[in-house]
Amino acid sequence: MAYLLPHLSPSLLISSSSKSKPNSIPSKPIHFNLSSSSTTTLSSLQSSTLQGVEVNHQTSAAQDSHRQDPQRQRDDFYLNLGLAVRTLREDLPLLFSKDLNYDIYRDDITFVDPLNTFTGIDNYKLIFWALRFHGRILFREICLEVFRVWQPSENVILIRWNLKGVPRVPWEAKGEFQGTSRYKLDRNGKIYQHKVDNLAFNFPQPLKPAASVLDLVTAACPASPNPNPNPTFLWNSAADSYSSSWLELYRAVRETLDRQEHIPLPQDGLISCS
C-alpha cells in the first residue's frame, strides 16, 4: 500500500475522494402553503372566541345594571320629588299671571274637585288657562297664597292655599277661600293626580245692585272699615242659593272645559294682590 500511494494519479485520488463524501442536502427555503379551508377554520375559531368574551362581558354588565336599577330608580324618584315640590312652590303663587311648568306631571294626569273629574294633560292645561282668562275678566285683583307644603307620605304632596281677590262689580267686597291641593306621585316621581278638597269659603255679603251713582259710591266705600263677610258656605248650597264672581269663575272654567275651546291669550296684564 505504501508503494502504491505515491504512484497513483491525481485524477484517481480526486474521484475516490468525491465518491467517499456523502450527498449534501441543498439549502433551499421551505414554504408552507395553507389552504383556504385552513384559514377559514382559524378565523372562525378566533371570531367565536371573541364573541364568547363579548357575551360574557355583556352578561356581567347586564347583571350589574340589574342590581343597580332599584337604587337608580329610587334616586330618580327623590330627584323628581324635589323638583316637583320646588316647582309647585314657585308656580302656585303666580298662578294667575303665568303658565305652569308641566314637566312635573304625567300626560294622563287626573284633576279632581268636589264636583268634577278631568283626565289628560291637555285638560289640565286648559283648566289653568281658563282660570287666568276668566279671572282677568271677573276680578280687578286676584292671587293665590301658599300657606303650607308638607308630605304626609312619601308619594303625596299636600299644599294648603288661600285664594283671594277683588271682584270688578262694585256691590261685591273683597273675598277669599281656602283649600288643599293633594298631589299623588308615581314611582318615578311624576304627578299623576291633583285633587282639590277641604274647601272653606269666605264669600263677601251680596249687596243690592246699585240704582244710582250714590249707591255705587256707598257700595265702593262702606261705612265699616272691615265689613264682616258671610259665614263659610258649603259648595252646593252656595252654588244653589248665592251668585258671586267666585262662583261665576268656577262656572266659566267648567264651561270652558265642556266646550273644549282653547283660545290663546297673553299671560301678562293681571294685577296681583298687594
Side-chain angles (χ1 to χ4, degrees):
M1 180 65 67
Y3 173 79
L4 291 175
L5 286 176
H7 298 281
L8 289 176
S9 62
S11 60
L12 292 175
L13 290 174
I14 293 172
S15 61
S16 62
S17 62
S18 61
K19 290 179 180 178
S20 61
K21 290 182 179 179
N23 294 332
S24 60
I25 300 174
S27 59
K28 294 182 179 180
I30 300 174
H31 298 281
F32 296 94
N33 294 325
L34 296 177
S35 62
S36 59
S37 60
S38 301
T39 305
T40 304
T41 305
L42 181 59
S43 301
S44 62
L45 289 175
Q46 292 176 350
S47 62
S48 62
T49 304
L50 292 176
Q51 290 176 357
V53 173
E54 292 178 357
V55 168
N56 292 333
H57 178 71
Q58 292 175 358
T59 303
S60 60
Q63 292 176 353
D64 293 339
S65 63
H66 180 72
R67 286 193 296 267
Q68 293 174 359
D69 278 344
Q71 183 61 36
R72 184 181 304 171
Q73 189 174 14
R74 297 297 296 172
D75 294 342
D76 292 341
F77 171 82
Y78 288 116
L79 179 64
N80 292 329
L81 172 63
L83 179 61
V85 172
R86 183 171 66 251
T87 301
L88 292 172
R89 284 182 180 273
E90 295 174 355
D91 284 357
L92 291 184
L94 303 176
L95 172 63
F96 291 94
S97 60
K98 61 179 294 187
D99 203 2
L100 306 181
N101 181 1
Y102 297 102
D103 294 338
I104 61 176
Y105 305 96
R106 280 189 354 193
D107 291 338
D108 59 346
I109 182 174
T110 300
F111 178 83
V112 181
D113 68 12
L115 297 179
N116 300 284
T117 299
F118 302 99
T119 302
I121 191 65
D122 292 335
N123 285 329
Y124 195 71
K125 292 179 180 179
L126 190 58
I127 290 171
F128 292 98
W129 176 88
L131 283 173
R132 289 190 301 274
F133 177 75
H134 296 288
R136 175 179 306 197
I137 295 175
L138 296 172
F139 291 86
R140 289 188 289 115
E141 297 180 7
I142 187 169
C143 64
L144 186 141
E145 297 176 335
V146 175
F147 284 164
R148 184 187 175 194
V149 180
W150 75 102
Q151 285 188 259
S153 61
E154 190 177 60
N155 63 334
V156 175
I157 301 173
L158 283 180
I159 298 181
R160 187 66 178 173
W161 44 262
N162 181 54
L163 180 62
K164 60 182 182 179
V166 179
R168 291 188 180 274
V169 293
W171 53 84
E172 288 186 23
K174 181 178 180 179
E176 61 185 65
F177 68 92
Q178 298 181 8
T180 300
S181 287
R182 183 185 303 268
Y183 299 90
K184 292 184 178 181
L185 293 82
D186 60 12
R187 60 182 181 179
N188 295 320
K190 295 291 185 177
I191 297 174
Y192 69 91
Q193 185 186 82
H194 177 190
K195 183 178 181 180
V196 176
D197 54 10
N198 297 326
L199 299 177
F201 295 91
N202 197 9
F203 291 138
Q205 182 177 359
L207 302 176
K208 183 180 179 180
S212 64
V213 177
L214 181 60
D215 292 336
L216 291 174
V217 174
T218 303
C221 303
S224 175
N226 295 314
N228 294 324
N230 285 344
T232 298
F233 290 91
L234 293 177
W235 183 265
N236 290 332
S237 61
D240 294 336
S241 62
Y242 178 64
S243 178
S244 70
S245 297
W246 296 102
L247 292 177
E248 290 300 325
L249 176 61
Y250 181 84
R251 293 191 186 104
V253 173
R254 186 174 59 184
E255 290 173 1
T256 302
L257 286 165
D258 292 339
R259 292 193 304 266
Q260 294 291 321
E261 294 177 358
H262 188 132
I263 304 173
L265 184 71
Q267 302 300 324
D268 55 350
L270 265 178
I271 302 175
S272 60
C273 296
S274 57

